[in-house]
Amino acid sequence: MRLFEPAPPECGKSMTSEVIAAPRAVADRGDMAAHPATRTDPATRTDDVGQLLKSWREKRGRSQLELSIAADLSTRHLSYVETGRSVPGRGVIERLSEELEIPLRERNRLYLAAGYAPAHPEHPLEDLGAAHDAVKAVLTGHEPNPAMAVNARWELLAANTPAHGLLTGIAPHLLEPPINVLRATLHPEGLAPAIRNFVPWRAHILRRVERHLSHTAMPEIAELRDELAGYPVPEGQSDIHTVSNDLAMPLVFASARGELALLYTMTVFGSPHDVTLDEIAIETFFPADAATASILRSM
């Protein structure tokens, strides 16, 4: 096991900074040696944990000093970790991950890179017990309004009957599992021709996907963003067409029963420990006007 390496002589460093760093050094060394039984074969490491942590710190716009104070580490220790001179313990990885709001899937990658077993399990939605029941309760309780549960890639995990009704009349290949709800919505063979405010709605979706990409750093999300951005504007829609609403911009599209205007909210689980649960979002749609509410009740 690698031990904490002694600090090299540093020129020009003040006595004050040495005193501040000194009390934390013992705790840092102990944390690095924690949980030896959970270390994995170093040959299985595929990434450098220090570089990964540095990348996440830079993504979040945090300085070493700011992050080290927030995570209760010495700045020197954090610098050693990022440069590969020290291997962080599980406790250090978890504290840094919490401060940087790193998704659980990526935290597991950090553990593997440091030579540890992943800390967060990943189960299918059906195996999540009370959490699965909660998802079902929200979906069914939201009827007659549409609601669906999606993962971090916007793949459909579950939906109530009204939500399935919204996905009718689109190309069969868009409904092959896993169904990507953004692709099914904006694809030329999906709902796109029926969307009355396609241009502003797609712009809203692309901003949302971009924010999600900055949070997760998932390459699949970057690919999805580029795909959605490349879809053509449906014939008959201008680049400036929009549908106004005093509250928020709704998704407005034509259905077999009339024009629907829908607002949406998003719900996520608090303090998840499972990767699947960390990535689930429940999207619930509400009628933006009385006509839409009447149509949804009739459906």
Side-chain angles (χ1 to χ4, degrees):
M1 179 179 299
R2 258 177 102 173
L3 299 178
F4 187 84
E5 299 179 17
E10 296 185 71
C11 298
K13 190 163 187 178
S14 69
M15 182 176 295
T16 302
S17 61
E18 292 286 358
V19 172
I20 292 175
R24 294 177 178 166
V26 174
D28 290 349
R29 287 195 295 269
D31 212 358
M32 290 171 55
H35 306 282
T38 59
R39 295 299 290 269
T40 60
D41 185 347
T44 65
R45 300 180 195 171
T46 58
D47 297 293
D48 183 278
V49 65
Q51 287 300 313
L52 289 174
L53 285 168
K54 180 181 179 181
S55 175
W56 279 107
R57 178 177 62 77
E58 292 175 343
K59 286 179 189 296
R60 299 297 189 245
R62 307 283 292 273
S63 68
Q64 280 190 345
L65 177 60
E66 179 187 6
L67 180 59
S68 62
I69 292 174
D72 194 27
L73 300 173
S74 69
T75 307
R76 178 181 292 184
H77 184 188
L78 179 57
S79 176
Y80 276 21
V81 167
E82 290 189 352
T83 57
R85 298 183 64 182
S86 298
V87 178
R90 296 178 69 92
V92 169
I93 293 175
E94 190 61 24
R95 296 207 302 275
L96 292 173
S97 296
E98 282 292 321
E99 286 299 325
L100 294 173
E101 298 182 346
I102 299 177
L104 298 191
R105 183 179 299 280
E106 294 302 311
R107 295 188 194 191
N108 280 345
R109 185 180 171 196
L110 290 172
Y111 285 115
L112 286 171
Y116 300 109
H120 302 285
E122 181 176 5
H123 298 96
L125 175 59
E126 295 76 14
D127 295 340
L128 291 180
H132 174 242
D133 294 340
V135 171
K136 289 180 58 179
V138 172
L139 297 182
T140 57
H142 196 61
E143 294 179 354
N145 300 323
M148 59 183 68
V150 297
N151 63 17
R153 297 172 295 281
W154 276 280
E155 294 169 346
L156 186 65
L157 300 178
N160 62 11
T161 300
H164 281 296
L166 297 182
L167 297 176
T168 58
I170 65 178
H173 70 88
L174 295 173
L175 298 178
E176 295 176 0
I179 301 172
N180 187 288
V181 297
L182 296 188
R183 180 179 294 116
T185 301
L186 299 179
H187 194 281
E189 296 181 90
L191 289 179
I195 297 177
R196 296 251 348 264
N197 59 336
F198 179 88
V199 173
W201 184 257
R202 182 179 64 174
H204 161 72
I205 292 299
L206 289 176
R207 287 192 297 270
R208 183 180 173 193
V209 172
E210 194 67 46
R211 289 194 299 269
H212 187 57
L213 175 60
S214 69
H215 175 69
T216 64
M218 295 174 64
E220 306 99 304
I221 302 303
E223 294 171 4
L224 178 63
R225 174 202 58 196
D226 295 342
E227 178 186 341
L228 299 177
Y231 290 159
V233 176
E235 186 177 352
Q237 290 215 31
S238 69
D239 288 347
I240 60 173
H241 180 69
T242 186
V243 177
S244 61
N245 185 279
D246 291 338
L247 300 176
M249 183 177 65
L251 168 63
V252 181
F253 66 98
S255 74
R257 301 201 181 198
E259 187 173 280
L260 298 176
L262 299 171
L263 303 173
Y264 79 93
T265 65
M266 185 177 67
T267 303
V268 297
F269 283 89
S271 303
H273 292 290
D274 181 273
V275 172
T276 300
L277 198 60
D278 184 46
E279 295 180 345
I280 286 178
I282 303 175
E283 304 207 0
T284 49
F285 294 84
F286 294 85
D289 53 42
T292 299
S294 177
I295 293 173
L296 290 175
R297 285 195 298 269
S298 70
M299 292 172 64

